[in-house]
Amino acid sequence: MKKKAVYPGTFDPLTFGHLDIIKRGSKLFDTVTILLAKNRQKNTLFTLEERIEQIKMILEEEKLTGRVNVDCFQGLLVDYCKQKDINIILRGLRPMADFDYEFEMAMTNRGLNSSIETVFITTDQNFFYLRSSLIKDIAVMGGDISSMVPSSIEDSIKSKLANR
Ligand code: ADP
């Protein structure tokens, strides 16, 4: 049976931290679906469509297409998993701040469907401080974010901020 994982998140925008989890996840699982929620009430810098396009471009640049794909959904993550016959939820774990939230989400999803396992990959030491929200703040103030996001994302952030 194929090992299929889903990597859910907001990815506003995708960072080198996310990309590292995707690459490492793609070595563990046959397929990884990067999943963006349609119904999140989050105030994002990029629209859902923009984030999907950005991710598609990076998957091509990184030659990850085939094994890794991107999708979006409305509703419960466990329902998406059931629909697509996926039983692994992949999440990245950074020190401290992530733990309580991730633990709670994993418990909740397990409560909703115990045949779906959440698997955590711990962050790489080079990326543990990377957070999309912080990167956007740095960009707003003109800071250098080239070591934090792929260059195509850096360009998108710059043009988005310039057009605001
Ligand atoms: P969410 O809004 O669901 O937290 P994010 O896009 O912020 O979505 O993150 C998606 C997943 O990627 C989460 O599991 C998060 O912990 C993980 N993640 C985010 N940044 C990093 C990083 N720098 N290193 C490792 N994992 C990360």
Side-chain angles (χ1 to χ4, degrees):
M1 202 178 82
K2 277 202 167 179
K3 280 197 221 118
K4 298 200 273 183
V6 66
Y7 180 39
T10 311
F11 308 105
D12 185 48
L14 181 128
T15 71
F16 281 136
H18 294 128
L19 191 56
D20 177 58
I21 300 295
I22 293 164
K23 285 181 180 168
R24 290 159 67 196
S26 74
K27 290 182 190 151
L28 291 175
F29 309 114
D30 296 307
T31 63
V32 175
T33 301
I34 302 166
L35 193 65
L36 287 79
K38 274 188 191 169
N39 53 341
R40 278 278 182 91
Q41 295 299 312
K42 283 196 177 177
N43 209 352
T44 55
L45 177 64
F46 295 104
T47 65
L48 179 69
E49 293 73 22
E50 285 170 334
R51 283 175 281 145
I52 290 175
E53 273 318 301
Q54 290 166 354
I55 293 171
K56 277 188 181 160
M57 195 147 92
I58 286 158
L59 294 182
E60 269 176 37
E61 280 167 16
E62 297 287 335
K63 304 204 180 351
L64 287 165
T65 43
R67 243 181 142 75
V68 184
N69 64 301
V70 57
D71 198 5
C72 60
F73 81 114
Q74 187 140 26
L76 283 176
L77 176 59
V78 291
D79 290 341
Y80 177 89
C81 291
K82 207 171 167 192
Q83 235 176 58
K84 302 281 176 178
D85 200 22
I86 293 174
N87 58 5
I88 298 157
I89 297 171
L90 172 64
R91 295 284 287 178
L93 205 56
R94 289 161 295 189
M96 273 97 67
D98 280 339
F99 187 78
D100 286 356
Y101 175 69
E102 293 295 339
F103 192 90
E104 194 180 290
M105 286 303 297
M107 287 297 130
T108 305
N109 284 324
R110 193 166 160 69
L112 291 169
N113 187 333
S114 60
S115 62
I116 301 171
E117 289 291 355
T118 301
V119 173
F120 295 103
I121 293 185
T122 51
T123 186
D124 183 272
Q125 58 180 354
N126 293 315
F127 306 130
F128 80 90
Y129 61 92
L130 292 188
R131 187 172 294 283
S132 300
S133 54
L134 190 66
I135 292 170
K136 285 180 280 187
D137 288 347
I138 295 171
V140 168
M141 290 181 270
D144 180 10
I145 55 165
S146 59
S147 62
M148 303 174 185
V149 291
S151 58
S152 56
I153 299 270
E154 190 185 350
D155 294 345
S156 308
I157 296 178
K158 281 185 184 156
S159 63
K160 184 67 121 182
L161 292 177
N163 292 319
R164 273 214 303 198

